[in-house]
Amino acid sequence: GITSYDLNTTASSGNVIGGNNCAQRINNGKSYEHTLYTTGNDLYKALKSDIGLTLSKAQDNWMNFVAEGSEYTPADGTAKEIYVPFSGSYSAEFKYDESKKTYYKYRYGSKQTDYNDSDLEIKFENILVLYSTISYFSDGKHVSTDLSSGKGYYISNGGYREINWEKGSASSSFKLTDSSGAEIDYNPGKTYVCLTNSSNKSATEIS
């Protein structure tokens, strides 16, 4: 998307889109590559200024939420604990709290919390695991992710369902379907998206 919209410009000051100051470096004690932050509002203002982006109702909304007052439990299997590897050194872990119908994110066996508020636990109602082909560019540092199509899992309410996904062009929305081709129904709430290499599928654990 960055290349398609001619946004491949980064200034040393932290600007990531053209000349708009839409991101800031934060002194958080982490490595330099983990210190650049922005907000949805700042990012939208920069995109609007640089490429004339406007918001309109999407005709191909990629999430079809269940009717108000209803809920959906994926029935391909149980999903109370999830482990998704991204590399040899990084993974995402989740544990389901049935009383709250929520997945809590873990790291190295401990619950993850907000950086600024250690009492604020990181939790989600939905988890998407999307498998793709991920490869390195010629510099051996940056990666290229194939967003044409793939397979994965939709996880919610203590269950999972195997899915197919597709996207296509940079301006297209994701489309997620089950094995019959029907679009997936989603429960309302926050969603954590795990986009990982297809080679990691065999090491993914859902139980």
Side-chain angles (χ1 to χ4, degrees):
I2 290 176
T3 303
S4 300
Y5 290 113
D6 194 25
L7 301 176
N8 202 12
T9 302
T10 302
S12 59
S13 63
N15 301 340
V16 294
I17 298 178
N20 291 283
N21 187 18
C22 66
Q24 300 80 39
R25 294 285 177 187
I26 305 297
N27 184 13
N28 57 10
K30 298 183 180 299
S31 300
Y32 185 76
E33 65 269 22
H34 300 299
T35 62
L36 186 65
Y37 293 83
T38 187
T39 67
N41 187 50
D42 287 345
L43 192 58
Y44 170 66
K45 286 191 293 186
L47 287 167
K48 183 178 180 181
S49 173
D50 275 23
I51 66 172
L53 178 73
T54 58
L55 293 179
S56 61
K57 182 180 179 181
Q59 298 301 310
D60 55 348
N61 188 0
W62 70 289
M63 282 192 170
N64 297 313
F65 291 104
V66 297
E68 187 174 355
S70 302
E71 61 180 42
Y72 168 64
T73 301
D76 282 350
T78 300
K80 303 294 178 64
E81 296 191 13
I82 299 97
Y83 168 83
V84 182
F86 296 96
S87 68
S89 59
Y90 191 82
S91 61
E93 303 167 43
F94 305 89
K95 293 184 180 180
Y96 184 61
D97 185 326
E98 195 159 359
S99 65
K100 299 178 180 178
K101 298 186 176 182
T102 298
Y103 288 91
Y104 287 85
K105 191 170 186 295
Y106 281 71
R107 180 70 170 149
Y108 301 126
S110 300
K111 276 186 179 179
Q112 281 194 277
T113 58
D114 183 82
Y115 179 80
N116 293 313
D117 183 356
S118 60
D119 292 327
L120 185 60
E121 296 170 322
I122 300 176
K123 55 188 178 180
F124 305 88
E125 285 71 31
N126 305 293
I127 301 169
L128 282 172
V129 182
L130 306 180
Y131 297 109
S132 175
T133 299
I134 301 175
S135 57
Y136 281 103
F137 282 106
S138 58
D139 64 5
K141 298 178 181 179
H142 298 87
V143 297
S144 172
T145 303
D146 180 4
L147 294 180
S148 57
S149 63
K151 296 184 178 296
Y153 298 101
Y154 168 57
I155 300 169
S156 187
N157 262 2
Y160 75 84
R161 187 150 198 179
E162 295 189 41
I163 61 171
N164 299 308
W165 65 267
E166 62 180 63
K167 186 180 188 302
S169 69
S171 60
S172 298
S173 297
F174 277 93
K175 181 179 181 181
L176 294 91
T177 58
D178 61 21
S179 58
S180 71
E183 292 193 30
I184 297 294
D185 289 326
Y186 293 88
N187 291 310
K190 293 185 294 183
T191 300
Y192 190 97
V193 180
C194 302
L195 183 60
T196 186
N197 205 319
S198 297
S199 62
N200 292 321
K201 185 174 183 180
S202 61
T204 301
E205 299 175 9
I206 304 176
S207 60

